[in-house]
Amino acid sequence: MINEERVRHMTSMAIFEKEMGPEYQPMLRYSKKEYIALHGWGGFLAGTIFFGAIYAGIVIYLVSNVIENITTMYFLIIALVGLVAYAFYIIIHVHGSRLRAARRYKRGKRLIKELGAKYTKLSHMYEAEVQQTKPLLAREDF
């Protein structure tokens, strides 16, 4: 005999795991500190590449079109401004990456707890069904 409530519950759990699975799987493998640090380093690398590309484009434009008499002093000023801008940008970018990772981790942990509650409920359904199918004298509640 098929328990329709249990089948509906298992179906909702399967849909939940299929839709949310890739999103909450890293929360099972990493601690919060590791997860946030991993995203911080990823944000640092991505931010550095992005800033380098934008900065190189700006420098090439300035050197080729705006500044006609380029001297060593202009190169030093451009490099100093670039370093200050990079430091400011990377601090903000990495901090934002870490905050987004912390929010994502918190949400993922909540999803894992919800899934754990669903597994517990399913386990109770199975236990109740086993108790109902046992002979009368073998039941624990008798």
Side-chain angles (χ1 to χ4, degrees), residues 55 59 63 70-80:
Y55 183 68
V59 167
V63 169
I70 191 133
T71 63
T72 307
M73 187 59 141
Y74 284 128
F75 276 125
L76 290 175
I77 290 173
I78 289 172
L80 182 64

CSV table of all heavy atoms in Angstrom, one decimal, residues 55 59 63 70-80:
chain,number,residue,atom,x,y,z
A,55,TYR,N,42.4,49.7,-15.9
A,55,TYR,CA,43.6,50.6,-15.7
A,55,TYR,C,44.5,50.7,-17.0
A,55,TYR,O,44.9,51.7,-17.4
A,55,TYR,CB,44.4,50.2,-14.5
A,55,TYR,CG,45.5,51.2,-14.1
A,55,TYR,CD1,45.2,52.5,-13.7
A,55,TYR,CD2,46.8,50.8,-14.3
A,55,TYR,CE1,46.3,53.3,-13.4
A,55,TYR,CE2,47.8,51.6,-14.0
A,55,TYR,CZ,47.6,52.9,-13.5
A,55,TYR,OH,48.6,53.8,-13.3
A,59,VAL,N,45.3,54.0,-19.1
A,59,VAL,CA,46.7,54.4,-19.3
A,59,VAL,C,47.0,54.5,-20.8
A,59,VAL,O,47.6,55.5,-21.3
A,59,VAL,CB,47.7,53.5,-18.6
A,59,VAL,CG1,49.1,53.7,-19.1
A,59,VAL,CG2,47.6,53.6,-17.1
A,63,VAL,N,48.1,58.0,-22.6
A,63,VAL,CA,49.4,58.1,-23.2
A,63,VAL,C,49.3,58.4,-24.7
A,63,VAL,O,50.1,59.2,-25.3
A,63,VAL,CB,50.3,56.8,-23.0
A,63,VAL,CG1,51.5,56.7,-23.8
A,63,VAL,CG2,50.6,56.7,-21.5
A,70,ILE,N,55.2,63.3,-22.8
A,70,ILE,CA,55.2,62.4,-21.6
A,70,ILE,C,56.6,62.4,-21.1
A,70,ILE,O,57.6,62.2,-21.8
A,70,ILE,CB,54.7,61.0,-22.0
A,70,ILE,CG1,54.5,60.2,-20.7
A,70,ILE,CG2,55.6,60.3,-22.9
A,70,ILE,CD1,53.2,59.5,-20.7
A,71,THR,N,56.7,62.5,-19.8
A,71,THR,CA,57.9,62.5,-19.1
A,71,THR,C,57.9,61.4,-18.0
A,71,THR,O,56.8,60.8,-17.7
A,71,THR,CB,58.3,63.8,-18.4
A,71,THR,OG1,57.3,64.1,-17.4
A,71,THR,CG2,58.3,64.9,-19.5
A,72,THR,N,59.0,61.2,-17.3
A,72,THR,CA,59.1,60.2,-16.3
A,72,THR,C,58.2,60.6,-15.1
A,72,THR,O,57.5,59.8,-14.5
A,72,THR,CB,60.5,60.1,-15.7
A,72,THR,OG1,61.4,59.9,-16.8
A,72,THR,CG2,60.6,59.0,-14.7
A,73,MET,N,58.0,61.9,-14.9
A,73,MET,CA,57.1,62.4,-13.8
A,73,MET,C,55.7,62.0,-14.1
A,73,MET,O,55.0,61.6,-13.2
A,73,MET,CB,57.3,63.9,-13.7
A,73,MET,CG,56.5,64.4,-12.5
A,73,MET,SD,57.2,63.7,-11.1
A,73,MET,CE,57.1,65.0,-9.9
A,74,TYR,N,55.2,62.1,-15.3
A,74,TYR,CA,53.8,61.7,-15.7
A,74,TYR,C,53.7,60.2,-15.4
A,74,TYR,O,52.6,59.7,-14.9
A,74,TYR,CB,53.5,62.0,-17.1
A,74,TYR,CG,53.2,63.5,-17.3
A,74,TYR,CD1,53.9,64.2,-18.3
A,74,TYR,CD2,52.3,64.2,-16.5
A,74,TYR,CE1,53.6,65.5,-18.5
A,74,TYR,CE2,52.0,65.5,-16.7
A,74,TYR,CZ,52.7,66.2,-17.7
A,74,TYR,OH,52.4,67.5,-17.9
A,75,PHE,N,54.7,59.4,-15.8
A,75,PHE,CA,54.6,57.9,-15.5
A,75,PHE,C,54.5,57.7,-14.0
A,75,PHE,O,53.7,56.8,-13.6
A,75,PHE,CB,55.8,57.2,-16.1
A,75,PHE,CG,55.7,56.9,-17.6
A,75,PHE,CD1,56.6,57.3,-18.5
A,75,PHE,CD2,54.6,56.1,-18.0
A,75,PHE,CE1,56.5,57.0,-19.8
A,75,PHE,CE2,54.5,55.8,-19.4
A,75,PHE,CZ,55.4,56.3,-20.3
A,76,LEU,N,55.3,58.4,-13.3
A,76,LEU,CA,55.2,58.2,-11.8
A,76,LEU,C,53.9,58.6,-11.2
A,76,LEU,O,53.3,57.9,-10.3
A,76,LEU,CB,56.4,58.9,-11.1
A,76,LEU,CG,57.8,58.4,-11.4
A,76,LEU,CD1,58.8,59.3,-10.7
A,76,LEU,CD2,57.9,57.0,-10.8
A,77,ILE,N,53.3,59.7,-11.7
A,77,ILE,CA,52.0,60.1,-11.2
A,77,ILE,C,50.9,59.1,-11.6
A,77,ILE,O,50.1,58.8,-10.8
A,77,ILE,CB,51.7,61.5,-11.8
A,77,ILE,CG1,52.6,62.6,-11.1
A,77,ILE,CG2,50.2,61.9,-11.5
A,77,ILE,CD1,52.5,64.0,-11.7
A,78,ILE,N,51.0,58.7,-12.9
A,78,ILE,CA,50.0,57.7,-13.3
A,78,ILE,C,50.1,56.4,-12.5
A,78,ILE,O,49.1,55.8,-12.1
A,78,ILE,CB,50.2,57.4,-14.8
A,78,ILE,CG1,49.8,58.6,-15.6
A,78,ILE,CG2,49.4,56.1,-15.2
A,78,ILE,CD1,50.1,58.5,-17.1
A,79,ALA,N,51.3,55.9,-12.2
A,79,ALA,CA,51.5,54.7,-11.4
A,79,ALA,C,51.1,54.9,-10.0
A,79,ALA,O,50.4,54.0,-9.4
A,79,ALA,CB,53.0,54.3,-11.4
A,80,LEU,N,51.4,56.1,-9.4
A,80,LEU,CA,50.9,56.4,-8.0
A,80,LEU,C,49.4,56.4,-7.9
A,80,LEU,O,48.8,55.8,-7.0
A,80,LEU,CB,51.6,57.7,-7.5
A,80,LEU,CG,51.2,58.0,-6.0
A,80,LEU,CD1,51.8,57.0,-5.1
A,80,LEU,CD2,51.8,59.4,-5.7
